[in-house]
Amino acid sequence: MILITGATGNVGRELVLLLAEGGHDVRAVTRNASAARLPDGVEIVQADPSQAASLSTALEGVDALFLNPITTSAPYQPAGEPARTLLELAAGSGVRRVVLLSGAAAANANGGGDPLAVYFRSYEKLVTESRLPWTFLQPGEFAANALAWVPQIRGGDTVRDAYGEASTAPIHERDIAAVAMRALLGDERVEARIVIDGAEALTKRQKVDLIGQALGRKLLFEEVPPVIARQAMIRHGFSEAVADTVLAYQAASIEHPGPASDGIERLLGRPPLSFAQWATDRSAIFGG
Ligand SMILES: NC(=O)c1ccc[n+]([C@@H]2O[C@H](COP(=O)([O-])OP(=O)(O)OC[C@H]3O[C@@H](n4cnc5c(N)ncnc54)[C@H](OP(=O)(O)O)[C@@H]3O)[C@@H](O)[C@H]2O)c1
């Protein structure tokens, strides 16, 4: 049995689907089972990982745990008691491996001043201390970050955001899920840090254009001062330090575009899914 935290989210939903399609036993954790919309045959557990004790029964008979940090702490806040308790319960229940959804920032050499690095490393440290065999997934930017533009694209043809030339290699969440599944099911990658990125570096302008192509619309990108984007991020629950760090990453990526590593190809034996594919897959969310 595999227990998936964050099962209704960007990565978790894809992971549950892949595991269910493969005929594996999946237990999906959500705080609201009636809204989960997960496939038939998936065992749904209504619990909140930020109240870790609510998962003690759900951990019975579980071999592998997928841990999404966002389910146990406020956005980009370091791991605390809920994550520690959850890992203790997992170890006590006989869980044999943990796959952690970490992030590329964990490897940032300037970790001390980077709240994203501090956040991811705090989770990696707790998992390591749990003594459970682990795999740390370290993806770069999720393609799903472009969902922040949904209200603008549903409301008109212009996307306003900072740093139009900021360039990253966004990864399709299905690719993250496919690697997670390998790690949850097999043992060849246990105790490994797996760096994964999308196929190619794209600027924000190019991403908006590709979403427009998926929708059959001509979308425009209008650059706004970073302070406007900063305010929007803070309104969406990011701390000031995290908003500043994300914007600094974006500014730096203009000169040094986000990496397009070969991790997906090496691990899955096929190229990463493209951002164009992602935009097509998510077109209904954008109003297509
Ligand atoms: N975005 C990026 O570029 C990026 C890059 C690298 C790593 N990451 C990491 O990936 C993780 C996000 O993954 P994701 O996008 O798949 O997650 P997500 O879609 O934002 O959320 C996953 C699920 O977690 C549950 N959840 C959300 N907030 C919660 C809370 N405060 N307490 C308890 N449960 C909560 C929700 O499920 P229910 O409502 O059904 O309970 C949600 O559907 C983060 O830890 C992030 O640091 C992100």
Side-chain angles (χ1 to χ4, degrees):
M1 176 62 73
I2 298 172
L3 187 79
I4 310 293
T5 62
T8 61
N10 296 309
V11 177
R13 184 174 294 282
E14 297 280 2
L15 180 54
V16 169
L17 287 173
L18 287 179
L19 286 163
E21 279 167 17
H24 303 286
D25 290 333
V26 194
R27 208 167 271 166
V29 180
T30 172
R31 292 167 300 175
N32 184 358
S34 63
R37 294 181 296 106
L38 290 167
D40 291 343
V42 171
E43 193 181 323
I44 299 177
V45 172
Q46 181 158 315
D48 183 348
S50 67
Q51 311 291 320
S54 70
L55 280 173
S56 52
T57 312
L59 281 162
E60 284 170 15
V62 169
D63 304 300
L65 166 69
F66 179 73
L67 177 57
N68 183 331
I70 204 161
T71 64
T72 61
S73 61
Y76 298 103
Q77 295 306 305
E81 220 32 60
R84 186 186 302 280
T85 306
L86 175 56
L87 289 162
E88 278 170 11
L89 288 171
S93 309
V95 170
R96 290 204 289 267
R97 83 183 44 158
V98 178
V99 175
L100 173 71
L101 181 53
S102 184
N108 183 351
N110 288 329
D114 176 343
L116 301 184
V118 169
Y119 163 74
F120 289 125
R121 285 182 192 173
S122 71
Y123 274 90
E124 293 188 357
K125 182 165 181 287
L126 268 194
V127 172
T128 310
E129 287 170 359
S130 77
R131 296 173 181 247
L132 288 161
W134 50 261
T135 301
F136 298 156
L137 306 183
Q138 295 184 331
E141 196 197 28
F142 291 8
N145 290 355
L147 295 174
W149 296 327
V150 164
Q152 297 191 70
I153 291 174
R154 278 182 163 269
D157 289 332
T158 303
V159 171
R160 295 177 180 82
D161 198 353
Y163 300 127
E165 306 309 324
S167 181
T168 59
I171 184 165
H172 194 309
E173 298 78 45
R174 195 173 305 141
D175 279 345
I176 304 172
V179 174
M181 181 162 94
R182 283 276 304 273
L184 287 161
L185 294 174
D187 56 8
E188 75 270 33
R189 282 277 153 191
V190 161
E191 311 249 328
R193 291 177 164 81
I194 305 180
V195 178
I196 43 177
D197 294 289
E200 56 174 342
L202 295 167
T203 66
K204 288 192 191 181
R205 289 182 197 281
Q206 289 171 319
K207 290 175 198 163
V208 166
D209 196 50
L210 286 165
I211 295 168
Q213 287 179 34
L215 298 174
R217 287 166 54 193
K218 176 74 192 154
L219 297 179
L220 304 172
F221 185 93
E222 186 180 310
E223 186 160 311
V224 299
V227 67
I228 303 288
R230 183 179 190 273
Q231 286 163 354
M233 290 167 77
I234 291 167
R235 269 200 310 278
H236 282 94
F238 291 97
S239 69
E240 293 188 359
V242 169
D244 289 339
T245 302
V246 170
L247 287 166
Y249 270 113
Q250 292 179 9
S253 76
I254 297 171
E255 289 294 315
H256 304 285
S261 64
D262 65 354
I264 294 292
E265 190 127 27
R266 264 188 305 107
L267 289 157
L268 301 182
R270 60 159 176 79
L273 298 170
S274 66
F275 187 79
Q277 176 70 55
W278 179 87
T280 301
D281 292 343
R282 301 293 184 260
S283 58
I285 303 176
F286 285 103

